[in-house]
Amino acid sequence: MSIEKTWRDIDEQSDEALLSLLQPKALNKLQSKNPLSTIRKNLLRNGIMGIIIACFYIFILIFFPYWQIQICIAAVLIFTVWATAGAFRLRKAIDGNVETLSLLEEMQRHYTNIQQWITSQKWAGLIIYPVSAAGGFMLGGVAGAQKSVDEIMSKPIMIWALLICIAVLTPAGYYLAKWLSHKAFGQHLKLLKQNIDDLKEKN
Protein backbone atom coordinates (compact mmCIF):
# COMPACT_ATOMS: atom_id res chain seq x y z
CA MET A 1 0.00 0.00 0.00
CA SER A 2 1.43 3.37 -1.01
CA ILE A 3 1.89 6.27 1.40
CA GLU A 4 -0.45 8.41 -0.72
CA LYS A 5 -3.26 5.84 -0.44
CA THR A 6 -2.75 5.56 3.32
CA TRP A 7 -3.11 9.33 3.82
CA ARG A 8 -6.13 9.40 1.52
CA ASP A 9 -7.83 6.67 3.57
CA ILE A 10 -7.15 8.60 6.78
CA ASP A 11 -8.69 11.77 5.34
CA GLU A 12 -11.81 9.90 4.25
CA GLN A 13 -12.42 8.40 7.69
CA SER A 14 -14.99 10.23 9.82
CA ASP A 15 -14.26 11.03 13.43
CA GLU A 16 -17.54 9.88 15.00
CA ALA A 17 -16.61 11.17 18.47
CA LEU A 18 -15.90 14.65 17.11
CA LEU A 19 -19.05 14.67 15.00
CA SER A 20 -21.16 13.65 18.00
CA LEU A 21 -19.75 16.56 20.00
CA LEU A 22 -20.59 18.97 17.20
CA GLN A 23 -24.26 18.03 17.23
CA PRO A 24 -26.54 20.83 18.55
CA LYS A 25 -27.75 18.76 21.50
CA ALA A 26 -24.20 17.97 22.57
CA LEU A 27 -23.14 21.58 22.24
CA ASN A 28 -26.08 22.72 24.33
CA LYS A 29 -25.21 20.13 26.95
CA LEU A 30 -21.62 21.34 27.12
CA GLN A 31 -22.71 24.96 27.36
CA SER A 32 -25.18 24.15 30.13
CA LYS A 33 -22.28 23.03 32.35
CA ASN A 34 -21.10 26.63 32.56
CA PRO A 35 -22.27 27.78 36.04
CA LEU A 36 -22.29 31.45 35.01
CA SER A 37 -24.70 30.70 32.18
CA THR A 38 -27.09 28.94 34.57
CA ILE A 39 -26.79 31.73 37.13
CA ARG A 40 -27.70 34.27 34.42
CA LYS A 41 -30.84 32.27 33.59
CA ASN A 42 -31.84 32.08 37.25
CA LEU A 43 -31.25 35.80 37.68
CA LEU A 44 -33.58 36.41 34.74
CA ARG A 45 -36.25 34.22 36.35
CA ASN A 46 -35.69 36.06 39.63
CA GLY A 47 -36.11 39.41 37.90
CA ILE A 48 -39.28 38.40 36.07
CA MET A 49 -40.79 37.08 39.29
CA GLY A 50 -39.86 40.34 41.00
CA ILE A 51 -41.72 42.33 38.33
CA ILE A 52 -44.83 40.16 38.77
CA ILE A 53 -44.73 40.57 42.57
CA ALA A 54 -44.21 44.33 42.23
CA CYS A 55 -47.31 44.56 40.02
CA PHE A 56 -49.28 42.68 42.70
CA TYR A 57 -48.14 45.18 45.35
CA ILE A 58 -49.19 48.08 43.12
CA PHE A 59 -52.62 46.46 42.81
CA ILE A 60 -52.88 46.33 46.62
CA LEU A 61 -51.84 49.99 46.93
CA ILE A 62 -54.58 51.02 44.52
CA PHE A 63 -57.47 48.90 45.80
CA PHE A 64 -56.81 48.99 49.56
CA PRO A 65 -56.68 52.71 50.45
CA TYR A 66 -55.74 52.36 54.11
CA TRP A 67 -52.62 54.30 55.07
CA GLN A 68 -51.37 51.61 57.48
CA ILE A 69 -51.46 48.99 54.72
CA GLN A 70 -50.12 51.37 52.09
CA ILE A 71 -47.08 52.30 54.18
CA CYS A 72 -46.18 48.65 54.74
CA ILE A 73 -46.81 47.57 51.16
CA ALA A 74 -44.97 50.61 49.75
CA ALA A 75 -41.90 49.66 51.81
CA VAL A 76 -42.08 46.07 50.56
CA LEU A 77 -42.56 47.35 46.99
CA ILE A 78 -39.42 49.49 47.24
CA PHE A 79 -37.49 46.47 48.53
CA THR A 80 -38.83 44.33 45.66
CA VAL A 81 -37.92 46.91 43.02
CA TRP A 82 -34.43 47.27 44.53
CA ALA A 83 -33.84 43.51 44.58
CA THR A 84 -35.25 43.08 41.05
CA ALA A 85 -33.12 45.90 39.63
CA GLY A 86 -30.09 44.33 41.31
CA ALA A 87 -30.83 40.98 39.69
CA PHE A 88 -31.03 42.53 36.21
CA ARG A 89 -27.84 44.57 36.76
CA LEU A 90 -26.00 41.49 37.97
CA ARG A 91 -27.24 39.46 35.01
CA LYS A 92 -26.15 42.16 32.56
CA ALA A 93 -22.66 42.21 34.08
CA ILE A 94 -22.20 38.46 33.63
CA ASP A 95 -20.96 37.22 30.28
CA GLY A 96 -22.03 33.60 30.11
CA ASN A 97 -19.99 32.92 26.97
CA VAL A 98 -16.55 33.64 28.41
CA GLU A 99 -14.08 30.78 28.16
CA THR A 100 -13.16 29.41 31.59
CA LEU A 101 -9.48 29.08 30.73
CA SER A 102 -9.09 32.86 30.40
CA LEU A 103 -11.42 34.07 33.06
CA LEU A 104 -9.98 33.54 36.52
CA GLU A 105 -10.22 37.20 37.56
CA GLU A 106 -13.58 37.57 35.85
CA MET A 107 -14.95 34.50 37.59
CA GLN A 108 -13.71 35.73 40.96
CA ARG A 109 -15.36 39.12 40.36
CA HIS A 110 -18.69 37.55 39.43
CA TYR A 111 -18.53 35.13 42.36
CA THR A 112 -17.91 38.00 44.80
CA ASN A 113 -20.65 40.19 43.28
CA ILE A 114 -23.24 37.41 43.41
CA GLN A 115 -22.36 36.55 47.01
CA GLN A 116 -22.61 40.23 48.01
CA TRP A 117 -25.98 40.57 46.25
CA ILE A 118 -27.37 37.53 48.06
CA THR A 119 -26.00 38.69 51.42
CA SER A 120 -27.37 42.22 51.02
CA GLN A 121 -30.82 40.81 50.25
CA LYS A 122 -30.71 38.64 53.37
CA TRP A 123 -29.86 41.57 55.65
CA ALA A 124 -32.36 43.89 53.99
CA GLY A 125 -34.94 41.12 54.28
CA LEU A 126 -34.54 41.04 58.06
CA ILE A 127 -35.68 44.67 58.09
CA ILE A 128 -38.50 44.32 55.56
CA TYR A 129 -40.00 40.96 56.69
CA PRO A 130 -41.59 42.40 59.87
CA VAL A 131 -43.08 45.23 57.80
CA SER A 132 -44.33 42.74 55.23
CA ALA A 133 -45.85 40.53 57.94
CA ALA A 134 -47.64 43.52 59.51
CA GLY A 135 -48.97 44.67 56.15
CA GLY A 136 -50.13 41.18 55.26
CA PHE A 137 -51.84 40.76 58.63
CA MET A 138 -53.79 44.00 58.29
CA LEU A 139 -54.59 43.29 54.63
CA GLY A 140 -55.95 39.87 55.56
CA GLY A 141 -58.10 41.41 58.29
CA VAL A 142 -59.52 44.07 55.98
CA ALA A 143 -60.23 41.59 53.19
CA GLY A 144 -61.74 39.00 55.54
CA ALA A 145 -63.77 41.17 57.90
CA GLN A 146 -64.67 43.93 55.44
CA LYS A 147 -63.78 46.52 58.07
CA SER A 148 -61.25 49.33 58.26
CA VAL A 149 -57.81 48.84 59.79
CA ASP A 150 -58.75 51.08 62.74
CA GLU A 151 -61.79 48.93 63.50
CA ILE A 152 -59.83 45.70 63.25
CA MET A 153 -56.89 46.87 65.35
CA SER A 154 -59.05 48.53 68.04
CA LYS A 155 -59.18 45.29 70.04
CA PRO A 156 -56.12 44.48 72.24
CA ILE A 157 -56.21 40.85 71.15
CA MET A 158 -55.56 41.94 67.56
CA ILE A 159 -52.44 43.82 68.67
CA TRP A 160 -51.15 40.64 70.30
CA ALA A 161 -52.08 38.64 67.22
CA LEU A 162 -50.15 41.12 65.06
CA LEU A 163 -47.05 40.84 67.26
CA ILE A 164 -47.23 37.03 67.20
CA CYS A 165 -47.65 37.11 63.42
CA ILE A 166 -44.55 39.28 63.05
CA ALA A 167 -42.56 37.08 65.47
CA VAL A 168 -43.45 33.91 63.54
CA LEU A 169 -43.38 35.13 59.94
CA THR A 170 -40.14 37.13 60.14
CA PRO A 171 -37.82 34.14 60.76
CA ALA A 172 -40.02 31.97 58.52
CA GLY A 173 -39.64 34.48 55.67
CA TYR A 174 -35.90 34.74 56.25
CA TYR A 175 -35.30 30.99 56.12
CA LEU A 176 -37.65 30.57 53.16
CA ALA A 177 -35.75 33.26 51.23
CA LYS A 178 -32.46 31.64 52.24
CA TRP A 179 -33.67 28.25 51.00
CA LEU A 180 -34.95 29.68 47.71
CA SER A 181 -31.67 31.52 47.18
CA HIS A 182 -29.67 28.37 47.85
CA LYS A 183 -31.90 26.37 45.50
CA ALA A 184 -31.50 28.91 42.69
CA PHE A 185 -27.81 29.75 43.10
CA GLY A 186 -26.16 27.56 45.75
CA GLN A 187 -25.15 24.58 43.62
CA HIS A 188 -23.98 26.76 40.73
CA LEU A 189 -21.99 29.06 43.00
CA LYS A 190 -20.35 25.99 44.50
CA LEU A 191 -19.40 24.79 41.02
CA LEU A 192 -18.15 28.27 40.12
CA LYS A 193 -15.98 28.32 43.25
CA GLN A 194 -14.65 24.88 42.36
CA ASN A 195 -13.72 26.13 38.87
CA ILE A 196 -11.95 29.12 40.40
CA ASP A 197 -9.97 26.89 42.76
CA ASP A 198 -9.02 24.56 39.88
CA LEU A 199 -7.78 27.48 37.80
CA LYS A 200 -5.74 28.77 40.75
CA GLU A 201 -4.07 25.38 41.09
CA LYS A 202 -3.20 25.35 37.38
CA ASN A 203 -1.70 28.82 37.61
Side-chain angles (χ1 to χ4, degrees):
M1 181 180 294
S2 65
I3 295 177
E4 292 80 0
K5 188 176 186 306
T6 302
W7 279 107
R8 188 168 56 253
D9 292 342
I10 292 174
D11 290 337
E12 291 175 354
Q13 292 177 358
S14 62
D15 190 340
E16 295 182 0
L18 178 60
L19 289 175
S20 64
L21 285 175
L22 293 177
Q23 296 299 318
K25 291 183 178 179
L27 288 174
N28 290 335
K29 185 176 181 182
L30 288 174
Q31 186 178 5
S32 67
K33 294 180 180 179
N34 182 354
L36 284 176
S37 178
T38 306
I39 289 172
R40 288 183 83 246
K41 293 177 183 177
N42 289 345
L43 284 169
L44 178 61
R45 294 191 186 101
N46 187 289
I48 292 173
M49 183 60 65
I51 292 174
I52 294 172
I53 293 173
C55 291
F56 174 70
Y57 290 146
I58 293 173
F59 171 84
I60 293 174
L61 289 173
I62 294 172
F63 290 96
F64 291 89
Y66 300 98
W67 67 267
Q68 299 94 330
I69 294 176
Q70 288 182 332
I71 289 176
C72 294
I73 299 302
V76 179
L77 175 61
I78 291 171
F79 170 78
T80 303
V81 171
W82 168 77
T84 301
F88 280 117
R89 281 196 303 268
L90 198 57
R91 181 182 183 274
K92 185 178 181 180
I94 296 175
D95 184 357
N97 296 320
V98 180
E99 295 294 333
T100 57
L101 293 177
S102 62
L103 126 301
L104 178 56
E105 292 184 359
E106 194 74 1
M107 290 171 72
Q108 288 176 318
R109 182 173 68 86
H110 292 319
Y111 180 82
T112 300
N113 289 342
I114 295 167
Q115 289 280 35
Q116 289 177 346
W117 177 72
I118 292 174
T119 301
S120 65
Q121 284 200 90
K122 287 180 181 178
W123 284 109
L126 286 176
I127 299 173
I128 207 66
Y129 294 146
V131 179
S132 176
F137 179 86
M138 290 183 288
L139 177 63
V142 168
Q146 298 296 314
K147 295 180 180 179
S148 69
V149 174
D150 291 333
E151 291 176 312
I152 293 171
M153 301 305 299
S154 61
K155 297 179 181 180
I157 191 173
M158 296 304 292
I159 301 295
W160 284 105
L162 173 62
L163 295 176
I164 292 172
C165 179
I166 292 173
V168 172
L169 292 184
T170 296
Y174 173 80
Y175 285 109
L176 176 61
K178 185 177 180 180
W179 178 79
L180 290 173
S181 177
H182 178 75
K183 187 173 179 63
F185 304 105
Q187 180 180 354
H188 310 297
L189 281 174
K190 184 178 180 181
L191 179 58
L192 180 59
K193 184 65 168 61
Q194 181 180 341
N195 290 343
I196 291 172
D197 293 339
D198 291 343
L199 287 175
K200 284 182 178 179
E201 290 180 3
K202 290 180 182 180
N203 291 340

